[in-house]
Amino acid sequence: MNIKLYELREDEKPALAEVMARIGAVDARMADDAQVAGDASVGAGAASRVDDATRPGAAPQASDAPKRGAALQACAAPSGITIDAVPDELGLENVASAQGFDAVVISGRSAMTAEVLDRLAELGVKYLATRTVGVDHIDVAHAHELGLRVCNTGYPPEGVAEFAVMLMLIVLRRYKPSLWRQQVNDYSLGGLEGRELGRLTVGIVGTGRIGQQVARILGGFGSKVLGYDPYPSDAARAAGIEYVPLEELYRRSDVVTLHVPLTEENRGMIDAEAINQMRDGVVLVNVSRGELIDVAAVTSAIEFEKIGALAMDVFADEVGIYHESRVNDIIRNRDMAYLRQFPNVVLTPHMAFYTDTNVNSMVEQSVRGVIAMAEGPGSWASEA
Ligand code: NAD
C-alpha cells in the first residue's frame, strides 16, 4: 500500500518515524541503511522525513544509520507499505500529487470538498484518514457515494482533562493578574487571594470520556463532584460523579465545566437563563467548543460580576486565529479581544489536546486506520 501523508508538522515527525518503525515486524537494528535507501519502493518523502526527525539540519552520522534504517526498512516491509510525507495541505490545486497512492492522510486544514474527493477517486485513491477527531472538513457523505472510505482518529482523554483542571487552578489562584504584576516587579499580594479546589463543588456538564477523567482528577483534590448528562453511566458514577438535574448542578456548583459536544441543541446552552441559575461568582470552564456559550450573555455576566472567573480553551470563530501567528494582523474578533483583557478571564488557543501522547496517537491511528480499512469493512473502529 502506498500512503501519502499531507500537512506533516515538525512536531509530528518523531511520531511518524516511530509509527513507520512499528508497522513492519522487522529487526530494525539489523537493517542495511544503504540497501534500504536504495530501495525504489521507499517514498522519497519518507526518507527525508526520517533524516529530519532524527536530527533536524544535521548531516547523517554513521551512528544514526541503524535508527534511520529502522524506520525506512519498516516502512518498506514486510507488507510493502510506503509512506510519502509532505508539509503541504491537500486541496484542488495540488490534488494531482495524490496520483499513485492508495490512501491519503490529512489533518484539519485540508478541506475535502466534493470536488477534491471526485479528483481523488479519479486518481484511484481509496482510503482517507484525518489526524483529527472532527471530520467537519470532509464531505463524508460524498466520499461514501464515491466508495472512498474515511476514518478519523481519537486520543486518550487525560490530556484535555488535565488542561481543564489546570484552567480551574489558574483562575482560582488568580495566576493571570499575578503574572501581569511580576512583569513590572510588582510582588504585592493584594487582590490575589485564591480558593482551594479541594474545598469546592465542581459541576461537570457532559460525563463522557473527558468529563469522567476530570472527575477522577478532582477526586484526588477532594472536590465534591456533581454531574449532568442525558445519558448517565455507571462508569461516570465509578469516577466519583454524583448525578443531579442540570438546574441543581448549576445551583450547587462553585465551578461549572463543560465537556459536551457541539450540536444544534447544545449551541449557546450557556445563555442568560443558565447563568442566572448559577451561583454568584461561579467559575466557568469551557475546553469543549466556543459556540456552547452565548458570548454576549457570558460577557455581560463577567461585567456584572455574576461570573467570578472564566477560562476557555476554545472560542467562537477561532478558526484562522488559533493555531496561527497573527502578530502583524488586524484580528476581527471583538468578543475575544474584549474578554481577553479581564484579569479574571483566561483564554488559551485551543491547545488542551496538544500533548506528546496525543500527537503520537493521532499520527499512529491515522496511518493504522488506512491500513486497517484496506483489510475490509469493519476492521477499523473509527471509520466514519
Ligand atoms: P464524549 O462523547 O465521550 O462525551 C460527551 C458527553 O456529553 C456524552 O456523554 C453526551 O451524552 C454528553 N452530552 C451531550 N449533550 C449534552 C448536554 N446538553 N448536556 C449534558 N451532557 C451532554 O466526548 P469527549 O471525548 O468527552 O469530548 C467532549 C468534547 O470535548 C468534544 O465534543 C470536543 O468538543 C471537546 N474537545 C476539546 C478538545 C480541546 O483540545 N480543547 C480536545 C478534545 C475534545
Side-chain angles (χ1 to χ4, degrees):
M1 173 185 249
N2 299 326
I3 302 170
K4 181 104 176 182
L5 188 145
Y6 292 88
E7 297 186 65
L8 181 72
R9 298 191 315 256
E10 285 297 316
D11 57 290
E12 292 177 317
K13 289 180 174 181
L16 183 58
E18 279 179 31
V19 178
M20 288 163 67
R22 277 199 293 267
I23 287 171
V26 170
D27 184 345
R29 280 154 297 189
M30 300 300 287
D32 177 343
D33 200 40
Q35 185 190 322
V36 175
D39 183 338
S41 71
V42 176
S48 62
R49 193 212 57 69
V50 173
D51 280 346
D52 291 346
T54 309
R55 278 183 309 111
Q61 306 277 309
S63 59
D64 291 333
K67 209 194 245 177
R68 293 190 296 118
L72 294 172
Q73 176 73 4
C75 175
S79 48
I81 294 163
T82 71
I83 300 179
D84 186 11
V86 294
D88 320 335
E89 294 164 23
L90 175 60
L92 205 51
E93 40 326 311
N94 67 343
V95 68
S97 62
Q99 173 122 39
F101 293 91
D102 309 289
V104 295
V105 175
I106 57 165
S107 196
R109 291 165 190 270
S110 299
M112 295 295 98
T113 59
E115 220 175 348
V116 176
L117 293 168
D118 285 341
R119 290 285 294 123
L120 286 176
E122 282 164 26
L123 292 169
V125 173
K126 299 180 199 67
Y127 310 102
L128 168 65
T130 177
R131 304 193 298 289
T132 55
V133 177
V135 290
D136 39 293
H137 54 305
I138 303 172
D139 187 340
V140 177
H142 192 70
H144 288 164
E145 280 166 24
L146 296 167
L148 242 169
R149 302 209 4 230
V150 181
C151 72
N152 66 338
T153 54
Y155 40 81
E158 285 85 353
V160 179
E162 287 179 14
F163 199 91
V165 176
M166 179 196 76
L167 289 179
M168 291 174 201
L169 291 169
I170 283 178
V171 293
L172 285 169
R173 302 311 298 266
R174 304 186 193 273
Y175 185 61
K176 182 178 175 182
S178 167
L179 192 64
W180 278 351
R181 291 184 195 184
Q182 289 169 54
Q183 310 303 325
V184 292
N185 285 342
D186 176 354
Y187 306 110
S188 63
L189 285 177
L192 298 184
E193 187 179 276
R195 286 190 290 167
E196 296 172 22
L197 186 51
R199 296 181 193 278
L200 300 180
T201 298
V202 180
I204 299 178
V205 183
T207 61
R209 287 167 7 114
I210 296 170
Q212 286 172 32
Q213 185 57 23
V214 168
R216 280 184 211 103
I217 297 171
L218 292 174
F221 282 85
S223 314
K224 171 83 183 157
V225 182
L226 305 178
Y228 169 75
D229 196 301
Y231 302 98
S233 76
D234 288 340
R237 288 190 187 93
I241 292 172
E242 177 193 336
Y243 280 110
V244 292
L246 187 57
E247 303 72 37
E248 185 178 338
L249 181 147
Y250 286 155
R251 182 164 39 80
R252 289 175 56 193
S253 299
D254 302 294
V255 178
V256 172
T257 182
L258 304 179
H259 300 288
V260 303
L262 177 65
T263 59
E264 275 321 304
E265 301 86 70
N266 291 345
R267 187 178 293 275
M269 65 187 282
I270 304 298
D271 56 10
E273 193 186 336
I275 295 167
N276 282 339
Q277 295 174 52
M278 296 181 195
R279 302 184 77 146
D280 290 346
V282 65
V283 169
L284 182 62
V285 175
N286 180 8
V287 298
S288 289
R289 285 292 177 267
E291 293 83 353
L292 292 170
I293 68 156
D294 173 341
V295 72
V298 167
T299 303
S300 178
I302 291 280
E303 288 170 334
F304 292 96
E305 301 181 33
K306 168 72 182 178
I307 291 180
L310 171 71
M312 298 219 301
D313 185 48
V314 285
F315 212 95
D317 300 323
E318 66 179 47
V319 175
I321 302 174
Y322 285 175
H323 302 180
E324 309 281 344
S325 174
R326 301 285 310 269
V327 278
N328 292 322
D329 299 341
I330 303 297
I331 295 176
R332 295 185 206 100
N333 191 321
R334 295 181 189 189
D335 293 327
M336 186 188 281
Y338 183 65
L339 275 175
R340 191 180 293 289
Q341 49 91 25
F342 289 106
N344 57 348
V345 174
V346 171
L347 303 183
T348 50
H350 203 146
M351 57 187 285
F353 74 97
Y354 193 51
T355 67
D356 52 355
T357 300
N358 292 345
V359 169
N360 286 348
S361 181
M362 286 186 272
V363 172
E364 171 139 16
Q365 287 190 32
S366 60
V367 172
R368 288 196 186 278
V370 290
I371 295 169
M373 284 194 292
E375 285 165 8
S379 50
W380 190 244
S382 64
E383 184 164 352

